[in-house]
Amino acid sequence: MHDDRNLVEGRLRRVLDERVRPAVYPESVPLDVAVWHAPGEPVPVEEGLAATPEPIAVGARWGAPWGTSWFRVTGTVPEKWAGRTVEALLDLGFDGNMPGFQCEGLVHLPDGTPVKGLNPRNQWVRIGAPVAGGEEVRLHVEAASNPVILEHHPFSFLPTPLGDKDTAGTEPQYTLTRMDLAVFDETVWHLVLDLEVLGELMAELPADAPRRWEILRAVDRALDALDLQDVNATAATARDRLAEVLAAPAAASAHRIGAVGHAHIDSAWLWPLRETVRKVARTAANMTALLADEPDFVFAMSQAQQWAWVRDHRPAVWARVKKAVADGRFVPAGGMWVESDTNMPGSEAMARQFVHGKRFFLDEFGIENDEAWLPDTFGFAAGLPQIIRAAGSKYLLTQKISWSQTNSFPHHTFRWEGIDGTRVFTHFPPVDTYNCEMTGAEIAHAARNFKDKGVARHSLAPTGWGDGGGGTTREMVAKAARLRDLEGSARVAWQTPHAFFEQAEAENPEPPVWVGELYLELHRATLTSQAQTKQGNRRSEHLLREAELWAATAAVRTGFRYPYEDLDRIWKTVLLHQFHDILPGSSIAWVHREARATYARIAAELEEIIGAAQRALAGEGDLPLVFNSAPHARAGVPAGAAAPPVAEGRTELTPRTGGGHVLDNGLLRVEIDGRGLVVSALDLAGDRETIAPGLAGNLLQLHPDLPNKWDAWDVDAFYRNTGTDLTAADEVAPGADAASVRVTRSFGSSRVTQVLTLPPGERRLEVDTEVDWHETEKFLKLAFPLDVHAERYAAETQFGHVHRPTHTNTSWEAARFEACNHRFVHVQEVGWGVAVVNDSTYGHDVTRTVRTGGDGGDGGDGGTTTTVRVSLLRAPRFPDPETDQGVHRFRHALVPGAGIGDAVREGWRLNLPERRVTGGAEVAPLVSVDREAVVVTAVKLADDGSGDVVVRCHEAHGGRARATLTAGFAVAGVTVTDLLERPLAGQEAAVEADGDRIAVRLRPFQLMTLRLRRA
């Protein structure tokens, strides 16, 4: 037989496009349309419905950027359509390639009842099936003219002012394209899907596979049966000729795909938070409507914050959601407040993501999630498995690691082991998308790509339009029905996340294990972009610690009113802003402008709570007190206490031979040369130089920074090929006090002022940097070349630290050229190390070189230089063309002679500066611990209002620890709990209580939550 595949496949494409798809709606009549443009921000539904619209015609331009327009569409169903299915086709000017990324609408009935959302792949509204004829149609569309920020075909990362309503202008963005009533021919619609499924499957089968040829011949016969001049009359016959190949069952060994309806909705990204509130409502309205029509369909939605938005802003949609949840088909997923970044949030913040997320679903529905659902998060910190388990969950889903540019992850189903040894069952969907459309290419890719063949055969496919929302379409559901049991394809069945994970774990109870962080080899620049957003997050996390600590202490000691509601609300706001496009700095200008204002408001509220609690504790008097919020003693003040400060010596400032200055406090001797660079930092007790020979620390380095794409997200390795050392100083002079030196520099259009301080009695050089930043597409680093031979270094993460190699032996190590730390990076030889600590930066790199030997003629000593570089600022122009322009302030410290415990302590100290208050008496700690390795991360009152004191601690040095926790109040009982403050079974032996003294034993990096009942 001749090979006529190309001929038949070409025929199929043309007939589908030109004849069959248009025949889905064979008859139509125009609707009358009028519009009212809301002046400013979106208005309540009642106001939009009551407004007086003006006539508008199809073809007219509408919609200023970020505007809201209320369209009223009216018409009459023709009498001759009686007995047929009729739909309204409402095309606001959609681009079918961009669902979720442009204009959208929510359709309401005249009484305000929401019907469904409109988007580029969902433009229909059912009027009747069948209609009687003569019905009056009246619909109201709340349409959002969200501008296109990211052009998807092809991707375009050009700077645009459209990312902020303050700069976007008023030019209409869309053209009203179609507003019709139309007859819906369901038989033709099914024919379209029959042909699509078979055509897509055929294209994925080998050319010599008999099944491919069977499908080809069936398609050819079906097309022969179609009268191209009367598709509607002949569609049923064409379908009959496809029935046999559609009924052929899949092989017994076929891969099995659990499909779950999905609409990954970014809580903010290329749209502001307020628009996400509406995106979620549109999607939820669509999904509840689809659930009513499709009995097998299951939809899962994560992010408790988004559920709360529906509840609080769209009660009519919420009522439908609640009913669908009760039916078990609209499924809360993930158990987190938002799908957050997991690299940068601190220990407590990461824990509270689960506390607030899981508690919301428990309170609203009595449902407890057992999976973490993070399909789009940019890599996963090694402390996360323990947090997931401590929250009462046991599974993790993500898809994003498939985006890695260099190395292909070796598993799709595995156990992920964190820094403390905790393991969670983890799945990466091999379909490699969280926006699956149920295409043949996607399903075939999932089956081929699945790396666990032979030991497992199940994978998950999150199905539906996401990013900007929209969800699953009726076409996707219909395709899934055809793929339930189809020869040549994987089998597809709708499943809840819980059902999938239970099934996957049962068939593969001992999967391979991956130890350590799940590093995404992409989007590394999200650790640095939008510095003020990151600073706001870090500052908020520590202010919340202080507010809880001092409010709890004051509540127990003085009867101070513990601000439960305020702290709950503020925590949820901070958690929202840890969403994986806000904290990483990859959202539009509007989002970050609002974030800066929000963080300022939060800081003011928390400062007020802290101040009131400390005043209640200090009482009246003139005694100078230092309140120490850090988990370690300092200046003679115990952790969590207030006492008069103890003087700790002095620092001398003297001229340096050859120019510059010397700072000496008896512990460190620091030389700052005439360029303002640190050329020596001598640990006097250890008689050990910190700075590598011939090099200088506190070195600012500027690199060009234009990644190949994803500007705010990515920094590509080639940025390191070119760079400039900023060694020229405008001024190097003594600072405002005898312990500091002030350095100013100018470069490009920017200016830097640094104050280098050596505090008395401390083995720590503090570096305060102010940058007036006006560069574009540049990357600013702060470098410390250290005379340390280290093959690995430690970087703080949640509830501990992770080790990374300093070498690049393999492609896996080479790909980690930019990584995340929290408060410290630590490098060490046996017996001596150095820490670099920070108050608000996350990105860094650590590299090593070997100096030439003494016989090289250049004075080299053959030693190793380990260089720690802190990432300060970037200047990408997409999606925010003015990213980080303006003044920024950073605090860092170089800590020579530091062990890992010193790094932990100094990191906390820099982030929790002392507070000075006058009062009448010292304040004893509410809780104290007798081992520095056991760090208390939170002291608070129990969330249930019982008055119990909750203490969360962890082992921070990486070894086993026994410690005694002493309560500064009478204790009636102690319970080990999960993160939600519920008793943990089988933990009785973990603690031994004797009155107010509680002995604990912790594994390396183990976290523990204790609930202390007050007597």
Side-chain angles (χ1 to χ4, degrees):
M1 182 177 287
H2 296 297
D3 186 348
D4 60 349
R5 284 176 299 133
N6 290 339
L7 186 68
V8 176
E9 290 166 6
R11 180 189 185 192
L12 172 61
R13 286 192 296 271
R14 181 170 185 184
V15 170
L16 257 177
D17 286 344
E18 295 185 14
R19 302 301 168 91
V20 185
R21 289 193 182 101
V24 171
Y25 292 103
E27 299 178 56
S28 64
V29 295
L31 288 160
D32 294 322
V33 189
V35 66
W36 174 73
H37 303 294
E41 285 297 279
V43 299
V45 172
E46 306 76 41
E47 185 175 343
L49 294 174
T52 302
E54 300 289 333
I56 186 173
V58 167
R61 299 284 289 170
W62 71 277
W66 306 114
T68 299
S69 298
W70 281 85
F71 289 94
R72 185 189 67 197
V73 294
T74 55
T76 304
V77 176
E79 297 284 354
K80 65 178 182 178
W81 289 357
R84 305 173 77 178
T85 298
V86 174
E87 295 181 343
L89 299 181
L90 308 177
D91 186 343
L92 301 174
F94 297 126
D95 179 338
N97 294 301
M98 301 188 69
F101 291 90
Q102 52 169 225
C103 59
E104 299 172 49
L106 181 59
V107 180
H108 298 81
L109 298 179
D111 65 359
T113 301
V115 180
K116 67 186 296 288
L118 298 176
N119 63 58
R121 296 294 181 95
N122 212 324
Q123 303 178 21
W124 58 273
V125 179
R126 179 64 56 88
I127 301 301
V131 295
E135 291 96 333
E136 295 296 323
V137 175
R138 185 184 183 94
L139 300 172
H140 297 263
V141 181
E142 179 190 11
S145 50
N146 303 329
V148 174
I149 306 296
L150 175 63
E151 185 65 48
H152 267 59
H153 44 95
F155 280 128
S156 173
F157 301 94
L158 298 177
T160 172
L162 292 173
D164 195 327
K165 65 176 181 179
D166 290 346
T167 59
T170 59
E171 183 70 21
Q173 299 293 294
Y174 296 100
T175 300
L176 200 62
T177 302
R178 185 176 187 181
M179 292 279 168
D180 288 348
L181 283 178
V183 172
F184 175 69
D185 189 325
E186 190 167 0
T187 301
V188 176
W189 182 80
H190 279 294
L191 177 61
V192 169
L193 291 160
D194 291 345
L195 291 170
E196 285 183 352
V197 167
L198 290 171
E200 291 165 359
L201 172 59
M202 182 169 56
E204 297 301 322
L205 295 171
D208 59 355
R211 174 64 169 164
R212 178 164 182 163
W213 288 91
E214 289 172 1
I215 295 172
L216 186 81
R217 293 294 160 233
V219 167
D220 206 21
R221 291 192 297 271
L223 297 179
D224 287 344
L226 271 182
D227 180 348
L228 299 186
Q229 309 305 316
D230 194 355
V231 169
N232 300 87
T234 53
T237 303
R239 291 200 70 203
D240 289 342
R241 296 192 178 184
L242 298 173
E244 183 177 351
V245 288
L246 283 167
S253 60
H255 184 66
R256 287 163 167 78
I257 293 176
V260 57
H262 189 239
H264 167 66
I265 303 178
D266 288 307
S267 289
W269 179 27
L270 304 180
W271 44 86
L273 287 167
R274 67 91 154 141
E275 192 54 35
T276 313
V277 175
R278 302 199 294 176
K279 283 178 173 286
V280 175
R282 296 175 198 124
T283 299
N286 268 354
M287 294 304 94
T288 51
L290 190 59
L291 287 167
D293 293 339
E294 301 289 348
D296 295 331
F297 177 55
V298 175
F299 180 77
M301 189 168 89
S302 69
Q303 307 192 70
Q305 171 68 88
Q306 295 188 0
W307 290 71
W309 279 335
V310 179
R311 180 196 63 190
D312 297 342
H313 295 275
R314 301 287 180 162
V317 178
W318 179 247
R320 286 160 53 175
V321 167
K322 288 187 71 174
K323 181 183 182 305
V325 172
D327 293 340
R329 301 180 59 213
F330 198 120
V331 182
M336 295 173 68
W337 191 246
V338 294
E339 290 181 11
S340 74
D341 180 79
T342 75
N343 286 312
M344 291 176 282
S347 303
E348 271 306 302
M350 201 74 255
R352 305 298 176 95
Q353 285 285 354
F354 288 90
V355 169
H356 287 283
K358 296 196 77 170
R359 188 170 287 145
F360 180 90
F361 294 135
L362 282 165
D363 290 347
E364 293 291 339
F365 307 113
I367 290 174
E368 178 156 10
N369 308 95
D370 53 11
E371 77 287 329
W373 185 272
L374 295 166
D376 192 30
T377 295
F378 309 151
F380 299 87
L384 189 58
Q386 178 175 208
I387 298 171
I388 292 172
R389 281 289 193 176
S393 298
K394 56 184 178 179
Y395 303 125
L396 169 67
L397 176 135
T398 185
Q399 177 271 325
K400 200 66 172 188
I401 299 299
S402 69
W403 285 41
S404 284
Q405 289 178 312
T406 305
N407 298 285
S408 176
F409 197 81
H411 317 296
H412 281 111
T413 304
F414 59 100
R415 292 200 188 276
W416 177 30
E417 181 178 316
I419 55 174
D420 73 312
T422 297
R423 294 179 176 179
V424 295
F425 189 87
T426 303
H427 181 65
F428 293 173
V431 72
D432 280 347
T433 178
Y434 48 78
N435 295 327
C436 177
E437 300 176 58
M438 281 290 137
T439 66
E442 290 170 331
I443 300 306
H445 174 75
R448 285 193 300 263
N449 187 41
F450 189 54
K451 292 184 171 68
D452 305 306
K453 299 180 185 76
V455 294
R457 61 172 54 173
H458 286 85
S459 69
L460 199 67
T463 302
W465 293 110
D467 292 312
T472 318
T473 65
R474 62 184 179 182
E475 288 77 15
M476 295 174 192
V477 176
K479 283 189 170 186
R482 288 160 173 79
L483 296 169
R484 183 180 293 115
D485 189 11
L486 182 62
E487 183 185 354
S489 172
R491 298 174 188 260
V492 176
W494 295 104
Q495 273 190 307
T496 65
H498 174 79
F500 165 76
F501 274 111
E502 280 201 330
Q503 184 180 55
E505 190 172 30
E507 77 170 0
N508 192 9
E510 296 298 332
V513 176
W514 181 270
V515 178
E517 66 185 328
L518 294 171
Y519 179 91
L520 177 63
E521 296 170 355
L522 190 75
H523 292 359
R524 302 167 182 90
T526 57
L527 303 173
T528 305
S529 296
Q530 297 288 359
Q532 290 180 341
T533 298
K534 292 169 171 57
Q535 288 178 324
N537 173 73
R538 179 78 70 85
R539 183 68 177 134
S540 296
E541 288 181 353
H542 288 85
L543 286 171
L544 276 161
R545 170 194 171 84
E546 291 189 84
E548 289 182 337
L549 169 65
W550 299 122
T553 305
V556 173
R557 296 276 168 71
T558 73
F560 180 82
R561 187 191 69 83
Y562 191 79
Y564 291 101
E565 295 82 6
D566 292 337
L567 291 172
D568 179 79
R569 172 179 48 80
I570 293 170
W571 261 118
K572 287 173 178 174
T573 302
V574 172
L575 299 177
L576 167 59
H577 286 78
Q578 291 176 341
F579 178 76
H580 66 252
D581 276 306
I582 304 178
L583 180 55
S586 46
S587 289
I588 54 174
W590 188 346
V591 173
H592 292 289
R593 171 172 57 79
E594 288 191 333
R596 291 190 292 270
T598 298
Y599 284 130
R601 186 181 70 251
I602 286 171
E605 287 191 72
L606 291 172
E607 290 284 1
E608 186 174 335
I609 293 170
I610 293 164
Q614 289 180 339
R615 288 191 298 272
L617 286 164
E620 298 296 329
D622 299 323
L623 180 67
L625 298 172
V626 168
F627 276 80
N628 177 18
S629 304
H632 308 93
R634 64 177 173 199
V637 181
V646 177
E648 297 186 0
R650 60 189 296 269
T651 299
E652 292 185 352
L653 174 65
T654 58
R656 174 181 177 271
T657 303
H661 305 273
V662 178
L663 293 167
D664 190 330
N665 66 0
L667 299 174
L668 281 183
R669 185 175 184 275
V670 178
E671 294 187 31
I672 300 162
D673 70 6
R675 303 170 297 172
L677 303 179
V678 176
V679 292
S680 174
L682 184 63
D683 174 6
L684 296 171
D687 190 25
R688 178 68 186 263
E689 176 57 62
T690 306
I691 303 298
L695 299 176
N698 190 44
L699 175 64
L700 291 165
Q701 296 178 308
L702 191 66
H703 295 274
D705 182 22
L706 182 66
N708 288 346
K709 55 184 179 180
W710 299 109
D711 294 25
W713 295 256
D714 283 356
V715 56
D716 289 331
F718 54 73
Y719 91 90
R720 298 178 296 178
N721 297 344
T722 309
T724 302
D725 292 346
L726 304 179
T727 58
D730 301 334
E731 181 185 36
V732 180
D737 58 60
S740 64
V741 173
R742 185 172 183 271
V743 181
T744 59
R745 310 181 190 281
S746 301
F747 61 93
S749 302
S750 303
R751 181 178 176 84
V752 176
T753 301
Q754 290 183 299
V755 177
L756 285 69
T757 303
L758 183 60
E762 303 289 351
R763 195 169 55 186
R764 176 181 74 248
L765 176 67
E766 298 177 355
V767 182
D768 292 359
T769 303
E770 179 179 292
V771 187
D772 190 2
W773 180 245
H774 297 286
E775 308 306 306
T776 58
E777 295 165 352
K778 296 288 192 296
F779 197 4
L780 184 64
K781 291 264 188 176
L782 177 63
F784 294 94
L786 308 174
D787 190 9
V788 177
H789 179 82
E791 294 184 358
R792 68 176 190 171
Y793 72 95
E796 189 184 35
T797 189
Q798 293 100 3
F799 297 109
H801 54 265
V802 62
H803 286 104
R804 300 188 184 101
T806 60
H807 58 75
T808 54
N809 281 358
T810 72
S811 59
W812 294 86
E813 288 130 8
R816 285 173 166 82
F817 61 82
E818 184 79 5
C820 184
N821 68 286
H822 287 185
R823 286 168 292 234
F824 70 79
V825 169
H826 180 255
V827 297
Q828 184 169 359
E829 297 175 1
V830 175
W832 195 85
V834 182
V836 176
V837 301
N838 72 83
D839 78 337
S840 60
T841 55
Y842 295 93
H844 69 276
D845 65 80
V846 179
T847 56
R848 66 197 302 267
T849 58
V850 175
R851 305 185 290 272
T852 57
D855 58 356
D858 60 358
D861 63 355
T864 299
T865 300
T866 301
T867 301
V868 176
R869 297 202 308 165
V870 176
S871 303
L872 294 183
L873 288 165
R874 299 183 67 237
R877 301 186 65 209
F878 182 88
D880 176 3
E882 300 296 323
T883 301
D884 280 333
Q885 300 300 297
V887 177
H888 304 270
R889 295 176 178 85
F890 307 96
R891 296 187 71 212
H892 294 85
L894 180 71
V895 189
I900 195 70
D902 301 305
V904 172
R905 182 186 64 251
E906 295 298 336
W908 277 102
R909 177 180 297 193
L910 196 69
N911 282 269
L912 287 166
E914 63 187 31
R915 293 177 181 270
R916 294 181 178 267
V917 178
T918 58
E922 297 184 14
V923 179
L926 190 62
V927 174
S928 60
V929 181
D930 66 350
R931 292 288 183 271
E932 208 174 63
V934 177
V935 171
V936 174
T937 61
V939 177
K940 59 189 288 292
L941 294 193
D943 291 341
D944 61 7
S946 64
D948 292 354
V949 175
V950 172
V951 180
R952 189 143 39 244
C953 61
H954 73 288
E955 196 289 318
H957 293 182
R960 292 184 180 271
R962 293 188 178 187
T964 299
L965 184 148
T966 301
F969 56 92
V971 176
V974 180
T975 306
V976 181
T977 74
D978 66 5
L979 294 179
L980 277 70
E981 301 168 10
R982 304 173 297 190
L984 275 178
Q987 296 296 310
E988 294 78 9
V991 299
E992 298 175 9
D994 181 11
D996 62 354
R997 294 169 60 82
I998 303 145
V1000 300
R1001 287 182 289 184
L1002 297 174
R1003 303 185 311 272
F1005 299 131
Q1006 181 186 356
L1007 75 86
M1008 178 179 286
T1009 304
L1010 299 173
R1011 183 169 181 147
L1012 281 56
R1013 191 169 72 254
R1014 291 154 59 190

